[in-house]
């Protein structure tokens, strides 16, 4: 924070000192390092907490409530006073007047840096976000008769230091006073200072009070310890208290509050299970405190991506904040903590599966997608929960455990549209089919034999389904041959064959058997034909395979089909075949191609016109 003195420039080649534009540096901090001017109070609280930590190191036998922090705001000034270790005049010159130098790097306490929140030596600059002058009174606790030192820092980069009598501050510690600028009232009003003190310091281990200058007693900012640090008469009372705290912090009543405790890094807290489903992969911000000080409300890096069904509030000793102290530094410790917390969530799911089926059912009903994403990569969760996870099947929505009791062979589709095409017919044929088109479902269903060895799983393909459709007798096939020929000719543009079978339910007139892969291959073949002779055509031709055809299977058990195959007017036969194809395509619920939409409209109008002519 020192300005270069006006002396003659050094000779060429000599080392020169950097010059610091403090105004520019403060602007840089406010717009790129800190998220909001409100962090000034957090930085002052943090400095006070670190000073108290150092004082406790000097006097370890002092009563627990001997040292504290006092906040004051009356609209004209903001003051933060602590009973910490204080600063000598030499400390003031060294630590308050040099940007980037922190008292936590002092040689005597370098090995104890983990005891302190701040380690970057820039926190005091945040006060210039709300004030043009910082006034500091400090008296060191290291020397019994230490004088009081006054330091004044100004926004233009200048500062002054003077030594006062010891009586200027009767107790060791530090007082920082700010005179807010007129444009920063929203951050320095008494009510706001109190709210910010509660926001940042509600879990601090040192007593913090607030006084608004109205003459009343100071109110406690952190009247109670963290809920996980309290004692409760019963485990149930503890669980209810933790859940109530989660609701207070996050604004929702959690399905459950999972207590988190990692002694190796001094981490405690809770994970609140969300009562409503959230999109897969949507990461929530978690509330992270470091040594009681709120670090971030958006720390999504504390948990793996699959754990999007919880929101956490934690307090840790060994996690490292970044320079802004608004997020966590990504290092081996954070990675280990993330893995350990993931294991705690797995253990909670396992406990619920083993001892609380009601809770497990409510959890899976809400967050089955999150659990499926976990089960894909976690064999233990797969073994515990795969039989209980819900899937869409030909028996309705069912767990795999229930479905496997009635279907020893489980067939799974590769897409939602394929399942919709075949569900009714497969169900009537007694086939057990699971919709594998949703995220994770197909992969998980294929792992079912690992849990239920007596069950086999296979992909459903058109041949499997058509093998369960009964052929018609020879006389019926011959009688319908002319109609089938006209139908094949009408649908050739869609690379679709036509066959006559019998299947249930009889109410279904036709089944369109087609796959996404087959349609892609036909599209590629069509492009190759259109680009014949060009470079792109040669490339597509090299990739060309035998294009698999779709198949429209007409149901001889359906009265409408029996009437259609007896039509002897060629144009009406073609129109009826197009209408049956369009209806089957609609029932498949897959996206329609423009030509198919046009066909559906045209066939409907043609049939309507035919009916009107007949009636006339």
């Amino acid at each position: 924070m020192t300005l270069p003195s006006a002396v003659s420039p050094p000779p060429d080649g000599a080392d020169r000192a950097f010059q610091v534009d403090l105004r520019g540096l403060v602007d840089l901090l406010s717009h790129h390092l800190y998220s909001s001017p409100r962090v000034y109070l957090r930085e002052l609280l943090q400095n006070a907490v670190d000073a108290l930590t150092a004082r406790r190191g000097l006097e370890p036998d002092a009563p627990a409530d001997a040292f504290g922090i006092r906040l004051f705001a009356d609209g004209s000034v903001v003051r933060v006073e602590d009973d910490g270790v204080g600063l000598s005049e030499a400390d003031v010159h060294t630590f308050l007047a040099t940007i980037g130098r922190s008292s936590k790097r002092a040689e005597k306490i370098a090995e104890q840096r983990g005891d302190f929140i701040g380690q970057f030596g820039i926190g005091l600059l945040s006060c210039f976000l709300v004030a043009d002058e910082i006034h500091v009174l400090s008296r060191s606790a290291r020397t019994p008769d230490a004088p009081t030192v006054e330091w004044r820092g100004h926004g233009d980069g200048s500062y002054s230091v003077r030594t006062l009598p010891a009586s200027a501050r009767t107790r060791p510690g530090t007082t920082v006073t700010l005179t807010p600028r007129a444009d920063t009232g929203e951050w320095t009003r008494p009510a706001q200072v109190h709210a910010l003190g509660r926001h940042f310091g509600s879990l601090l281990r040192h007593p913090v009070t607030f006084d608004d200058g109205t003459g009343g007693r100071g109110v406690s900012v952190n009247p109670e310890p963290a809920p996980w640090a309290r004692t409760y008469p019963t485990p149930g009372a503890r669980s209810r208290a933790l859940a109530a705290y989660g609701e207070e912090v996050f604004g929702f009543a959690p399905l459950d509050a999972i207590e988190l405790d990692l002694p190796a890094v001094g981490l405690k807290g809770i994970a609140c299970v969300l009562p409503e489903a959230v999109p897969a992969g949507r990461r929530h911000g978690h509330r992270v405190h470091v040594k009681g000080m709120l670090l971030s409300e958006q720390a999504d890096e504390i948990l793996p991506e699959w754990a999007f069904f919880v929101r956490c509030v934690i307090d840790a000793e060994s996690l490292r904040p970044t320079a802004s102290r608004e997020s966590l530094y990504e290092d081996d410790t954070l990675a280990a903590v993330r893995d350990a917390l993931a294991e705690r969530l797995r253990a909670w799911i396992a406990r619920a599966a083993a001892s609380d089926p009601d809770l497990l059912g409510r959890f899976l009903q809400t967050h089955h997608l999150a659990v499926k994403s976990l089960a894909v990569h976690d064999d233990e969760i797969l073994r515990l929960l795969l039989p209980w996870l819900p899937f869409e099947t030909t028996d309705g929505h069912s767990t795999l455990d229930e479905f496997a009791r009635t279907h020893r062979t489980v067939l799974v589709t590769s897409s939602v549209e394929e399942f919709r095409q075949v569900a009714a017919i497969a169900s009537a044929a007694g086939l057990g089919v699971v919709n594998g088109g949703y995220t994770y479902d197909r992969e998980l269903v294929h792992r079912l034999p690992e849990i239920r060895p007596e069950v086999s799983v296979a992909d459903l393909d058109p041949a499997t389904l058509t093998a369960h459709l009964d052929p018609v007798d020879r006389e019926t096939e011959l009688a319908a041959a002319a109609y089938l020929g006209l139908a094949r000719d009408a649908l050739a543009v869609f690379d679709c064959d036509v066959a006559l079978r019998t299947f249930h339910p009889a109410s279904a007139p036709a089944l369109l058997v087609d796959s996404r892969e087959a349609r892609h291959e036909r599209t590629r073949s069509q492009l190759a034909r259109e680009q014949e002779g060009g470079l792109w055509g040669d490339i597509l031709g090299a990739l060309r395979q035998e294009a698999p055809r779709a198949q429209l299977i007409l149901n001889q058990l359906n009265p409408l089909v029996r009437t259609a195959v007896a039509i002897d007017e060629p144009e009406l036969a073609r129109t009826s075949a197009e209408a049956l194809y369009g209806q089957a395509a609609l029932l498949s619920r897959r996206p329609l191609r423009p030509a198919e939409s046009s066909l559906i409209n045209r066939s409907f109008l043609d049939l309507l016109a035919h009916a009107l002519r007949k009636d006339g």
Side-chain angles (χ1 to χ4, degrees):
M1 203 175 295
T2 51
L3 292 177
S5 56
V7 296
S8 300
D12 289 346
D15 289 340
R16 299 170 182 260
F18 284 103
Q19 298 186 27
V20 177
D21 178 357
L22 189 60
R23 282 293 186 193
L25 183 57
V26 170
D27 183 69
L28 179 67
L29 293 176
S30 62
H31 289 94
H32 300 285
L33 185 64
Y34 296 124
S35 61
S36 164
R38 69 177 183 167
V39 300
Y40 82 93
L41 191 65
R42 185 197 63 199
E43 297 294 331
L44 291 178
L45 279 173
Q46 172 211 286
N47 288 342
V49 170
D50 286 342
L52 291 174
T53 301
R55 178 78 180 272
R56 181 63 64 182
L58 288 177
E59 304 174 41
D61 298 328
D65 59 352
F67 311 131
I69 303 171
R70 292 166 294 282
L71 307 180
F72 177 89
D74 63 359
S76 59
V77 299
V78 175
R79 187 163 60 242
V80 178
E81 183 177 6
D82 68 69
D83 301 316
V85 72
L87 298 171
S88 66
E89 182 176 354
D91 292 335
V92 165
H93 284 288
T94 302
F95 302 125
L96 296 188
T98 306
I99 296 172
R101 181 172 295 175
S102 168
S103 61
K104 274 71 76 175
R105 293 196 182 95
E107 182 178 353
K108 292 182 179 179
I109 59 173
E111 69 277 5
Q112 302 172 0
R113 285 178 60 189
D115 296 335
F116 300 90
I117 304 172
Q119 299 172 7
F120 296 93
I122 58 176
L124 198 62
L125 287 179
S126 65
C127 295
F128 286 122
L129 301 176
V130 298
D132 288 325
E133 181 180 282
I134 305 171
H135 178 230
V136 178
L137 284 177
S138 190
R139 181 178 174 186
S140 176
R142 301 182 187 278
T143 306
D145 58 349
T148 299
V149 181
E150 179 188 60
W151 180 89
R152 290 182 184 272
H154 305 279
D156 62 4
S158 63
Y159 73 94
S160 62
V161 179
R162 63 174 180 155
T163 301
L164 304 177
S167 59
R169 181 181 170 91
T170 58
R171 303 175 59 187
T174 301
T175 301
V176 180
T177 303
L178 309 177
T179 301
R181 294 194 304 272
D183 62 343
T184 61
E186 64 175 309
W187 306 113
T188 56
R189 289 191 298 267
Q192 181 71 311
V193 172
H194 184 206
L196 290 176
R198 287 277 301 167
H199 180 72
F200 290 118
S202 63
L203 298 186
L204 288 176
R205 291 83 181 267
H206 303 284
V208 184
T209 59
F210 172 77
D211 181 0
D212 62 2
T214 58
R217 291 186 59 188
V219 295
S220 177
V221 167
N222 53 344
E224 294 181 320
W228 47 82
R230 305 172 204 164
T231 56
Y232 301 90
T234 64
R238 184 177 185 85
S239 296
R240 288 189 294 273
L242 294 178
Y245 179 73
E247 184 172 5
E248 177 186 344
V249 171
F250 295 123
F252 62 82
L255 282 178
D256 197 16
I258 307 165
E259 188 161 3
L260 306 173
D261 187 5
L262 302 177
V265 292
L267 183 148
K268 291 181 179 295
I270 56 173
C272 296
V273 183
L274 292 163
E276 297 179 350
V278 294
R282 177 181 174 183
R283 304 188 71 179
H284 287 286
H286 305 290
R287 190 179 178 94
V288 175
H289 299 251
V290 174
K291 302 177 181 70
M293 181 70 70
L294 178 64
L295 178 77
S296 174
E297 297 175 278
Q298 301 297 326
D300 60 2
E301 65 270 31
I302 197 70
L303 286 181
E305 290 187 10
W306 56 258
F308 53 82
F309 57 88
V310 297
R311 293 191 68 183
C312 293
V313 51
I314 65 170
D315 185 19
E317 296 285 339
S318 300
L319 294 178
R320 291 175 56 194
T322 59
S324 68
R325 287 180 284 280
E326 295 185 338
S327 59
L328 294 170
Y329 186 79
E330 188 70 46
D331 57 10
D332 291 342
T333 300
L334 179 58
V337 166
R338 185 162 47 235
D339 291 343
L341 291 179
E343 184 57 36
R344 296 297 187 275
L345 297 182
R346 290 189 187 96
W348 174 82
I349 294 174
R351 278 198 311 275
S355 60
D356 197 339
D358 180 61
L359 174 60
L360 178 68
R362 288 185 285 120
F363 171 67
L364 291 181
Q365 184 178 10
T366 305
H367 296 294
H368 60 272
L369 187 59
V371 178
K372 286 178 179 179
S373 69
L374 176 57
V376 166
H377 307 290
D378 191 304
D379 291 343
E380 181 179 356
I381 294 300
L382 178 80
R383 179 179 55 80
L384 286 170
L385 295 184
L386 181 59
W388 303 95
L389 290 172
F391 289 82
E392 186 179 8
T393 75
T394 46
D395 292 350
H397 281 85
S398 170
T399 66
L400 286 186
D401 195 55
E402 296 170 337
F403 195 65
R405 291 174 189 164
T406 53
H407 301 282
R408 292 304 185 191
T409 298
V410 175
L411 302 173
V412 58
T413 64
S414 60
S415 68
V416 173
E417 63 189 60
E418 289 176 6
F419 178 81
R420 300 281 163 75
Q421 289 179 42
V422 305
I425 288 86
S427 178
L431 297 176
V433 182
V434 178
N435 186 350
Y438 296 115
T439 306
Y440 310 118
D441 283 14
R442 182 168 173 268
E443 185 175 355
L444 287 173
V445 173
H446 272 286
R447 297 193 67 180
L448 181 60
E450 299 176 29
I451 314 302
R452 297 283 185 270
E454 70 277 10
V455 177
S456 62
V457 176
D459 286 323
L460 178 68
D461 57 31
T464 303
L465 182 64
T466 54
H468 286 78
L469 306 181
D470 296 327
V472 297
D473 58 68
R474 184 172 180 78
E475 291 75 13
T476 303
E477 183 82 34
L478 289 174
Y483 177 86
L484 295 177
L486 290 170
R488 292 184 183 109
D489 182 60
L491 300 180
V493 66
F494 299 114
D495 288 314
C496 183
D497 194 11
V498 184
L500 187 64
R501 297 287 187 273
T502 63
F503 55 86
H504 292 278
S507 58
L511 168 66
L512 181 61
V513 179
D514 198 6
S515 68
R516 183 181 302 174
E517 291 76 11
R519 291 196 302 277
H520 287 175
E521 181 59 37
R522 291 197 299 274
T523 300
R524 187 167 58 191
S525 298
Q526 178 64 30
L527 285 173
R529 289 194 295 270
E530 293 173 358
Q531 300 288 337
E532 192 88 40
L535 175 62
W536 183 239
D538 292 341
I539 294 173
L540 291 173
L543 297 174
R544 186 183 306 169
Q545 302 173 7
E546 182 66 28
R549 307 190 74 191
Q551 192 172 38
L552 180 69
I553 302 176
L554 304 179
N555 187 3
Q556 176 65 18
L557 298 180
N558 183 269
L560 178 63
V561 171
R562 289 200 298 271
T563 300
V565 297
I567 295 174
D568 55 7
E569 296 181 38
E571 286 303 314
L572 180 59
R574 292 172 60 90
T575 299
S576 68
E578 291 173 343
L580 288 170
Y581 175 89
Q583 189 258 359
L586 285 173
L587 287 179
S588 72
R589 302 188 190 181
R590 64 168 171 79
L592 296 177
R593 290 174 284 179
E596 291 173 329
S597 297
S598 176
L599 173 141
I600 291 171
N601 292 330
R602 186 180 68 251
S603 62
F604 170 77
L605 293 175
D606 287 350
L607 287 175
L608 180 61
H610 176 81
L612 292 175
R613 285 196 303 271
K614 184 177 180 182
D615 290 343

